[in-house]
């Protein structure tokens, strides 16, 4: 696949994200290049701005999305994020993106982005993707699952805050790009948060929540939960 096409579709994803409703407030100036957190004396909701006269073109540049991520891990997937933490020029602009690489049968496990909707574009391979709705108002109904098999060129949208996943169902590597409606969409990987928190959640809480024996929870909490994002 030609590099020109690849980056034109990434640009389209970012354009979509900038038009769509974003969780971030609108900027009050042309740009607000983020300062590293360790250069700020206090912590704020967002990032402090570099003085405009000190801003350079490199503040708006990220290089390397043409390089595949390392999928040699337990999950067989890799996420290369480009948010305000990697690209300070995104500060206050309300968009970010990521490259996702999948080995055959690799998984991006169930997770949420609490601050952004995600537009997901598959460039190569075949993925099975889906998301689950929030708890319905009717207690007699269940959370609804929406799934689809994606092929190269397909776009799927994951609504803000909803649990979603992607798994490679093909025998070849898969590559995707995602655009987000936030400079910092955040990630909560469900298994990591529930079973791999520090300190651990009281296993009695999880045993009752999942309606299983406590020894099952003890086993799950003893596992290593890799950070896939």
């Amino acid at each position: 696949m030609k590099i020109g096409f690849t980056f034109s579709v990434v640009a389209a994803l970012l354009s979509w994200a900038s038009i769509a409703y974003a969780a971030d407030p609108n900027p009050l100036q042309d740009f607000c290049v983020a300062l590293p957190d360790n250069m700020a004396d206090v912590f704020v909701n967002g990032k402090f701005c570099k003085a405009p006269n000190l801003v350079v073109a490199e503040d708006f540049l990220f290089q390397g999305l043409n390089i595949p991520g390392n999928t040699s891990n337990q999950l067989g997937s890799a996420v290369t994020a480009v948010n305000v933490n990697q690209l300070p020029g995104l500060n206050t602009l309300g968009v970010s993106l990521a490259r996702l690489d999948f080995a055959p049968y690799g998984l991006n496990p169930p997770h949420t982005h609490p601050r952004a909707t995600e537009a997901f574009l598959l460039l190569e391979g075949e993925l099975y993707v889906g998301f689950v709705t929030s708890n319905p108002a009717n207690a007699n109904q269940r959370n609804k699952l929406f799934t689809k098999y994606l092929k190269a060129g397909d776009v799927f949208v994951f609504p803000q805050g909803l649990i979603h996943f992607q798994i490679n169902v093909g025998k070849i590597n898969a590559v995707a790009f995602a655009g987000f409606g936030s400079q910092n969409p955040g990630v909560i990987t469900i298994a990591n948060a529930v079973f791999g928190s520090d300190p651990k959640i009281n296993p009695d809480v999880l045993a009752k929540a999942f309606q299983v024996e406590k020894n099952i929870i003890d086993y799950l909490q003893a596992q290593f939960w890799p950070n896939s994002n």
Side-chain angles (χ1 to χ4, degrees):
M1 186 169 294
K2 295 182 179 179
I3 293 296
F5 172 75
T6 298
F7 285 97
S8 66
V9 293
V10 172
L13 279 176
L14 288 176
S15 298
W16 177 88
S18 65
I19 294 171
Y21 173 77
D24 300 350
N26 290 327
L28 300 177
Q29 58 278 318
D30 288 344
F31 51 79
C32 172
V33 173
L35 284 172
D37 290 336
N38 60 7
M39 294 183 65
D41 292 330
V42 295
F43 187 81
V44 297
N45 184 25
K47 301 281 187 180
F48 282 106
C49 305
K50 179 188 287 190
N53 61 309
L54 300 179
V55 172
V56 295
E58 285 72 18
D59 291 324
F60 302 95
L61 175 67
F62 179 92
Q63 295 177 304
L65 278 189
N66 59 315
I67 302 172
N70 183 4
T71 59
S72 299
N73 53 60
Q74 289 175 283
L75 297 172
S77 68
V79 179
T80 305
V82 186
N83 55 50
V84 69
N85 296 306
Q86 292 80 33
L87 182 53
L90 288 175
N91 194 36
T92 75
L93 299 185
V95 295
S96 59
L97 72 156
R99 171 179 174 142
L100 297 93
D101 290 278
F102 300 84
Y105 312 111
L107 169 70
N108 190 14
H111 63 281
T112 74
H113 300 292
R115 294 182 288 275
T117 291
E118 175 181 354
F120 184 91
L121 168 65
L122 181 60
L123 291 182
E124 300 175 10
E126 183 178 2
L127 298 180
Y128 174 68
V129 307
F131 68 86
V132 182
T133 62
S134 57
N135 295 353
N138 186 341
N140 294 319
Q141 296 178 342
R142 295 191 176 188
N143 306 66
K144 187 170 183 178
L145 172 66
F146 293 88
T147 63
K148 203 70 180 176
Y149 286 93
L150 303 186
K151 297 185 181 299
D154 290 347
V155 174
F156 198 81
V157 175
F158 301 107
Q160 179 175 340
L162 298 188
I163 296 173
H164 59 283
F165 61 87
Q166 304 101 22
I167 187 169
N168 186 356
V169 294
K171 297 181 180 179
I172 63 172
N173 293 338
V175 182
F177 282 87
F180 301 94
S182 171
Q183 68 179 38
N184 187 20
V187 181
I188 303 171
T189 305
I190 306 306
N192 299 44
V194 174
F195 299 112
S197 65
D198 184 17
K200 291 180 171 57
I201 297 174
N202 187 317
D204 292 331
V205 172
L206 297 181
K208 189 162 188 176
F210 286 96
Q211 295 293 289
V212 297
E213 297 296 326
K214 181 176 173 291
N215 65 308
I216 295 177
I217 301 300
D218 291 336
Y219 171 79
L220 291 171
Q221 290 187 321
Q223 305 308 302
F224 172 72
W225 296 97
N227 183 357
S228 60
N229 296 285

